[in-house]
Amino acid sequence: MDKLQVLVATMHQSDFSIVKKMNIRCSAVIANQADREEIVNKDTDHGKIKMITTATRGVGLNRNIALMASDSEFVLFADDDVVYNDDMLENVVAAFNQNPKADVIVFGIYITKKGVVIETRCSKPKRLHLWNAMKYGMVTIAVRREALLRNRITFHECFGGGCRYSYGEDSLFLKACFDCGLKVYAHDYIVGTCGKDSSTCFTGYHKRYFYDKGVLMRYLFPKFSYLMALYFAIRFKRETQVGVMQRIQLMLAGVKNGKKMLPYCENEK
């Protein structure tokens, strides 16, 4: 069994060049959403690569495809805009070995634009809880795979790029981990860089963003969703053309709609 596999969610790949582009120096499962169905395996100097190409859409579903095909002790989730450090494998495995209580470890990452580091997302080593973990994205999260299988934790397929609700699968994944009693820690090792020159998922702080945020609040904080929606709408400080009263209306409508949803739903537009 491999110690670590990188689980990449990507689209429209035609070959294995993404492995070199991302500097993946371990085994990996690449979930590739395109317009065909195929599974191709490749052996490299650093490990085995499996590319699963499907005609599906939705990042939550794509991450589940990669997760279900994994067979390593640890998995590290990834998008295709990440480039890993040469020593990533050794440091991620060492972090788990040094903290045997950890089920989930959130690592650091450099955010780049046009090749220049514009932000460092990194936390001091500490245990995380629901209230201080929601800011972390999937591309810095590594997990003991057995803990996910034992608790049947997967990604919600209604949230994220290409889904009915445009983001939030990472927050819902972490919430599921906390709900199942998994121990989540932050680590100060920086796994690599993540380029933000463009995004196929995030399209701005527009009306849909706030409506979807309301639905997400319902799922994250079911007992306090209206309160959290009001707080977020009023305290929102990013540049947007959506006024505060409209933000409140949109988010409350999202909360109300979220109450009618089943725990899982089809990936409908």
Side-chain angles (χ1 to χ4, degrees), residues 2-234:
D2 290 316
K3 277 290 185 180
L4 176 71
Q5 287 174 314
V6 176
L7 306 186
V8 185
T10 186
M11 297 184 72
H12 305 305
Q13 302 297 319
S14 58
D15 54 35
F16 285 92
S17 59
I18 188 174
V19 177
K20 183 177 181 180
K21 172 190 170 187
M22 295 179 64
N23 195 33
I24 298 175
R25 292 172 174 256
C26 61
S27 294
V29 179
I30 301 172
N32 176 39
Q33 293 184 326
D35 296 320
R36 63 188 188 280
E37 305 277 345
E38 65 179 10
I39 299 176
V40 183
N41 296 285
K42 181 178 182 179
D43 291 329
T44 72
D45 293 338
H46 302 290
K48 297 179 179 180
I49 310 296
K50 178 188 291 286
M51 180 176 287
I52 304 172
T53 301
T54 65
T56 63
R57 291 296 183 269
V59 68
L61 174 58
N62 214 22
R63 293 200 195 281
N64 283 338
I65 290 171
L67 179 60
M68 292 303 103
S70 64
D71 57 8
S72 57
E73 184 174 356
F74 311 112
V75 294
L76 175 64
F77 296 101
D79 291 334
D80 57 14
D81 52 5
V82 174
V83 179
Y84 291 109
N85 295 331
D86 290 349
D87 60 357
M88 180 274 289
L89 169 62
E90 295 80 3
N91 279 277
V92 170
V93 173
F96 279 100
N97 290 338
Q98 292 162 10
N99 189 355
K101 293 182 180 180
D103 297 302
V104 181
I105 298 181
V106 181
F107 294 93
I109 198 163
Y110 291 123
I111 305 300
T112 65
K113 196 166 187 177
K114 296 181 179 179
V116 177
V117 176
I118 61 172
E119 182 182 353
T120 301
R121 296 181 184 174
C122 188
S123 174
K124 294 180 181 179
K126 61 183 178 182
R127 185 169 177 180
L128 298 175
H129 302 277
L130 180 61
W131 60 85
N132 65 352
M134 292 297 99
K135 63 182 178 180
Y136 298 104
M138 286 312 304
V139 298
T140 61
I141 294 175
V143 185
R144 292 185 190 273
R145 190 176 66 91
E146 186 275 333
L148 298 182
L149 296 179
R150 183 178 69 248
N151 292 281
R152 300 180 181 179
I153 297 173
T154 58
F155 289 88
H156 202 303
E157 296 179 5
C158 279
F159 291 82
C163 300
R164 181 175 182 178
Y165 302 106
S166 55
Y167 62 98
E169 84 287 352
D170 43 8
S171 297
L172 290 166
F173 176 85
L174 282 173
K175 183 178 187 298
C177 291
F178 286 115
D179 288 347
C180 291
L182 271 58
K183 295 179 176 63
V184 183
Y185 290 83
H187 195 284
D188 58 3
Y189 173 68
I190 294 177
V191 296
T193 65
C194 182
K196 293 301 179 185
D197 296 307
S198 62
S199 174
T200 58
C201 299
F202 181 73
T203 57
Y205 300 107
H206 41 54
K207 293 180 180 179
R208 180 181 176 183
Y209 173 87
F210 295 103
Y211 179 84
D212 290 356
K213 189 75 170 184
V215 177
L216 181 61
M217 290 298 101
R218 172 61 185 173
Y219 275 69
L220 289 176
F221 311 103
K223 294 183 179 180
F224 307 102
S225 52
Y226 283 104
L227 181 61
M228 295 299 296
L230 282 170
Y231 176 83
F232 182 86
I234 294 171

